[in-house]
Amino acid sequence: MSGVSLRCGDCGTLLKSVEEAQEHAELTSHSNFAESTEPVLNLVCSSCGKPCRSKTESDLHTKRTGHTEFADKTSEVTKPINLESPNTSIPSPMDVDAAATAQSQDMVVPEVDQKVLEELEGMGFSKARATRALHFSGTPGLEGAVNWIVEHENDADIDQMPMVPASSTNEPPKPSLTEEEKKMKFLELRERARKKKEEEERRLEREKEKERIRIGKELLEAKRIEEDNERKRLIAFRKAQKEEERRALERIRQKVEEDKAERRRKLGLPAEVPAAAKPSEPIVEEKKMGLPVKPITKVEQMRECLRSLKKNHKDEEARVKKAFQTLFTYAGNVVKNPDEEKFRKVRLSNQAFQDRVGGLKGGIEFLELCGFEKTEDGEFLFMPREKVDIAVLNSAGKELQSAIENPHFGVL
């Protein structure tokens, strides 16, 4: 299969033509190119029509705009690559005629007015360029030659000595310009070149400004899409959290009903019917208060305490996270070593404790919910051995771990 692209051996970039390879070489100084059978992709965005040359470009476009659908039109434009660099110069009719005549006649340098030639050389033009201008300008004198040079200064053969058949007649001498006219023509030529350069710079600047505006719009659109997606994710997260809380309450309610039914069965009482249950509502409520629901209530108090701590210090995220980690350590040490008094006693005046927990509103309250109590002299937080509740401490650890790992904790 013939090659359809050129691959840069230095960076792996695929290029569609020799011209692109030359531009790539000028920009990067890479020179190792090889013919490749892998075509340059032509992925067109179905939403905005933007073409992408590679999967990387299409991924970047998707990230900026959110557009994900692309039409692969690579096969429509793929064709064998021409490794011959095209000749961009267009020969003038006079060059064509001269080339055709040169096949049958000897070619010589045309005769031109030597005085005008010297004047052009004095203005800074090469002899070949000046001779070519005098021969092909078609008008006599220095002015026509200078105008011809301005119009043809981008020709590829501008500095090649023209050749004509030996039998061609020389043009009659052309009048020369005065020194003042030479100076004026030189200034005019320089002014034209300056204006042309300024116009090209303005054109390039306009194109750059359009590109900057386009990129800015794409970035703003990508930012807006990202914010919308983040808002949707947050709403979905809140909805899922509320649904989970609802299911947890429903499980607790079902557990309470099952416990009631089990106790009635053990006591030999008949199953409770709705009509008989209504008069005994105060008793049922009293039994509810005696069921092991208190840990759940304490867990909610712990969660609310941690949320308040984070909201009260929302501008000190690093310090809040450090406080959560310290509280997690305190609870974990008591769970692992319930008989060690040193893990159940915290000095309130300790500077490290004040920096990490005591100085934050809600830190000491959370420890009190875990079972710590202030001593009479107010110097320590102490948890008596008989008041160590492993279940409560484990619940506190779970809440702290959730607060540490959940980036949205305290903002919902």
Side-chain angles (χ1 to χ4, degrees):
M1 180 179 178
S2 60
V4 293
S5 65
L6 291 175
R7 182 183 293 277
C8 177
D10 297 318
C11 64
T13 302
L14 288 176
L15 305 155
K16 292 193 296 187
S17 63
V18 175
E19 292 87 341
E20 286 193 4
Q22 291 172 346
E23 293 178 2
H24 182 74
E26 292 176 0
L27 292 173
T28 63
S29 299
H30 297 167
S31 58
N32 182 17
F33 296 93
E35 191 174 0
S36 174
T37 58
E38 181 180 356
V40 178
L41 298 180
N42 183 27
L43 304 176
V44 181
C45 179
S46 302
S47 301
C48 63
K50 176 177 175 61
C52 299
R53 290 167 55 97
S54 65
K55 188 65 169 60
T56 302
E57 285 190 20
S58 63
D59 292 342
L60 181 59
H61 182 69
T62 299
K63 185 176 180 181
R64 289 177 175 174
T65 65
H67 301 165
T68 57
E69 297 295 331
F70 293 87
D72 190 352
K73 298 185 179 181
T74 304
S75 59
E76 299 178 10
V77 297
T78 302
K79 59 182 179 179
I81 192 168
N82 182 13
L83 297 179
E84 295 182 1
S85 181
N87 183 12
T88 56
S89 62
I90 302 176
S92 63
M94 291 174 284
D95 289 338
V96 175
D97 294 340
T101 307
Q103 296 178 357
S104 59
Q105 300 184 24
D106 294 333
M107 306 299 291
V108 296
V109 178
E111 293 292 334
V112 295
D113 189 334
Q114 294 299 317
K115 290 184 179 180
V116 181
L117 181 63
E118 292 175 358
E119 291 175 357
L120 287 172
E121 290 180 339
M123 294 174 67
F125 300 112
S126 65
K127 185 175 182 179
R129 184 176 293 202
T131 303
R132 197 173 190 83
L134 289 172
H135 179 70
F136 291 122
S137 63
T139 57
L142 180 64
E143 181 177 0
V146 171
N147 291 334
W148 189 92
I149 291 174
V150 172
E151 295 173 357
H152 297 80
E153 60 181 350
N154 293 324
D155 291 354
D157 57 353
I158 187 66
D159 288 316
Q160 296 179 6
M161 184 65 73
M163 304 298 288
V164 297
S167 60
S168 63
T169 58
N170 296 328
E171 296 182 358
K174 299 178 181 179
S176 61
L177 296 178
T178 63
E179 292 295 328
E180 185 65 25
E181 290 175 332
K182 292 179 187 178
K183 185 177 180 181
M184 294 298 294
K185 280 295 177 185
F186 178 74
L187 294 175
E188 180 182 354
L189 181 62
R190 188 169 64 181
E191 182 64 18
R192 286 185 185 179
R194 184 186 64 80
K195 289 182 178 179
K196 185 175 181 180
K197 183 178 180 181
E198 290 179 352
E199 181 63 26
E200 182 66 16
E201 290 177 351
R202 285 195 294 270
R203 184 185 66 80
L204 292 175
E205 185 61 31
R206 287 195 297 269
E207 291 180 356
K208 289 180 181 179
E209 183 63 24
K210 289 180 181 179
E211 183 66 13
R212 284 195 295 269
I213 293 173
R214 183 187 66 80
I215 293 175
K217 289 181 178 179
E218 288 186 358
L219 291 175
L220 288 175
E221 180 65 14
K223 183 179 179 181
R224 184 189 65 78
I225 293 173
E226 182 65 23
E227 290 176 350
D228 289 344
N229 293 337
E230 182 64 25
R231 186 163 53 252
K232 291 177 182 178
R233 285 195 294 269
L234 184 59
I235 292 173
F237 176 79
R238 290 177 177 174
K239 184 176 179 181
Q241 190 179 45
K242 289 181 179 179
E243 181 64 20
E244 180 62 27
E245 291 178 354
R246 186 189 66 77
R247 286 197 294 266
L249 292 175
E250 180 64 20
R251 287 194 296 268
I252 294 170
R253 187 189 65 78
Q254 292 178 358
K255 179 64 174 169
V256 170
E257 294 296 332
E258 291 173 0
D259 290 344
K260 286 168 59 180
E262 180 66 19
R263 286 195 300 274
R264 292 181 68 85
R265 186 185 65 79
K266 289 180 179 180
L267 294 173
L269 299 176
E272 185 178 20
V273 294
K278 187 173 182 181
S280 58
E281 281 184 358
I283 300 175
V284 173
E285 185 65 25
E286 185 68 20
K287 289 184 178 180
K288 280 187 177 181
M289 295 301 294
L291 291 174
V293 182
K294 189 173 182 180
I296 300 297
T297 304
K298 182 161 287 190
V299 167
E300 292 176 352
Q301 292 176 355
M302 290 178 179
R303 186 181 305 139
E304 184 60 31
C305 182
L306 294 177
R307 286 178 179 172
S308 299
L309 190 151
K310 186 168 184 179
K311 289 180 180 179
N312 291 333
H313 304 276
K314 59 183 179 181
D315 296 330
E316 301 176 275
E317 185 175 351
R319 189 180 179 192
V320 170
K321 187 173 182 180
K322 189 68 175 177
F324 288 169
Q325 292 171 342
T326 303
L327 291 171
F328 186 83
T329 301
Y330 284 149
N333 286 340
V334 177
V335 171
K336 295 176 184 177
N337 306 279
D339 296 324
E340 293 288 337
E341 183 177 329
K342 64 179 181 180
F343 294 117
R344 295 183 283 106
K345 191 173 185 180
V346 179
R347 185 183 294 275
L348 293 173
S349 59
N350 184 280
Q351 188 60 42
F353 172 77
Q354 287 296 325
D355 294 339
R356 296 181 180 184
V357 177
L360 278 71
K361 184 177 180 181
I364 296 177
E365 289 82 349
F366 186 84
L367 289 174
E368 290 176 342
L369 289 172
C370 292
F372 284 90
E373 301 174 354
K374 287 184 180 180
T375 58
E376 295 182 0
D377 55 6
E379 186 177 355
F380 294 96
L381 279 175
F382 181 69
M383 182 186 295
R385 177 62 184 90
E386 64 275 8
K387 292 188 178 181
V388 173
D389 191 333
I390 301 299
V392 172
L393 291 171
N394 285 333
S395 299
K398 291 180 181 179
E399 293 301 319
L400 287 165
Q401 186 174 9
S402 174
I404 294 171
E405 296 176 354
N406 183 2
H408 302 292
F409 184 83
V411 298
L412 301 176

